């Protein structure tokens, strides 16, 4: 398991929340300023655990949780700022304009956007797309993490 700097495509399989965290951390260690990742997966699949790992890879020590009710959580005390969006509750694109999304999407930090399909037209063409999937036949904690 692990990502190389500049990693573009592929998948890894994890079998515990700790391994999912470690996969996120590897990605965070390789992250560069201005990158944007979309993060997809069912509720309870481990998106927050993965994002906590990314934050650890960025040397962010603050507790990271899902920004479900705030749309964006900002963590600035690390190697790079982390802008963690959850746009599940976005009613229309204008709400993104109101919060100044462009400052984050095109800023100097790393952006992670959950439920990005709701704002597809705003996502930059060079964004990396991460999908986390379960497969109960392979075990309760099994996850397949794909990056396109």
């Amino acid at each position: 398991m692990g990502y190389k700097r500049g990693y573009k495509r592929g998948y890894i399989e994890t079998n515990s929340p700790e391994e999912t965290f470690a996969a996120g951390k590897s990605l965070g260690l390789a992250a560069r300023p201005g990158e944007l990742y979309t993060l997809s997966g069912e509720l309870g699949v481990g998106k927050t655990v993965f994002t906590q790992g990314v934050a650890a890879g960025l040397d962010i020590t603050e507790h990271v949780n899902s920004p479900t009710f705030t749309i964006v959580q900002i963590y600035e005390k690390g190697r790079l700022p982390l802008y963690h969006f959850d746009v599940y509750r976005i009613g229309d694109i204008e709400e993104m304009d109101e919060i100044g999304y462009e400052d984050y999407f095109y800023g100097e930090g790393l952006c992670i956007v959950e439920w990005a399909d709701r704002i597809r037209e705003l996502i930059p063409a060079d964004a990396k797309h991460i999908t986390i999937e379960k497969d109960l036949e392979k075990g309760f904690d099994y996850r397949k993490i794909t990056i396109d």
Side-chain angles (χ1 to χ4, degrees):
M1 180 178 68
Y3 294 97
K4 295 179 184 143
R5 192 161 188 74
Y7 186 82
K8 298 287 189 239
R9 295 181 175 276
Y11 73 91
I12 62 166
E13 297 172 303
T14 65
N15 291 291
S16 69
E18 293 81 12
E19 287 182 10
T20 299
F21 180 95
K25 184 173 181 178
S26 293
L27 195 61
L29 287 167
R32 292 176 290 205
E35 289 185 315
L36 187 142
Y37 298 98
T38 65
L39 186 55
S40 303
E42 301 171 9
L43 291 173
V45 79
K47 294 184 301 289
T48 299
V49 169
F50 184 83
T51 302
Q52 289 168 340
V54 171
L58 295 173
D59 296 326
I60 292 170
T61 58
E62 297 170 71
H63 178 69
V64 172
N65 55 23
S66 180
T68 301
F69 297 103
T70 59
I71 301 174
V72 63
Q73 291 278 37
I74 301 166
Y75 305 94
E76 295 185 297
K77 295 181 177 161
R79 179 176 64 81
L80 293 174
L82 173 63
Y83 311 121
H84 183 197
F85 284 80
D86 183 331
V87 297
Y88 183 78
R89 298 190 189 297
I90 290 290
D92 61 46
I93 297 299
E94 291 174 7
E95 288 181 56
M96 292 298 289
D97 287 330
E98 291 171 12
I99 63 170
Y101 80 94
E102 289 178 327
D103 292 340
Y104 304 109
F105 281 23
Y106 302 100
E108 291 301 312
L110 172 66
C111 255
I112 294 181
V113 182
E114 295 186 37
W115 302 100
D117 56 319
R118 295 179 178 266
I119 59 165
R120 187 175 300 125
E121 58 271 28
L122 299 180
I123 300 299
D126 63 348
K128 292 183 177 110
H129 305 284
I130 301 169
T131 304
I132 303 176
E133 301 169 283
K134 294 190 230 186
D135 184 343
L136 294 178
E137 290 182 13
K138 294 186 177 185
F140 181 76
D141 288 325
Y142 170 87
R143 300 296 185 265
K144 180 179 179 183
I145 303 168
T146 304
I147 300 179
D148 288 320

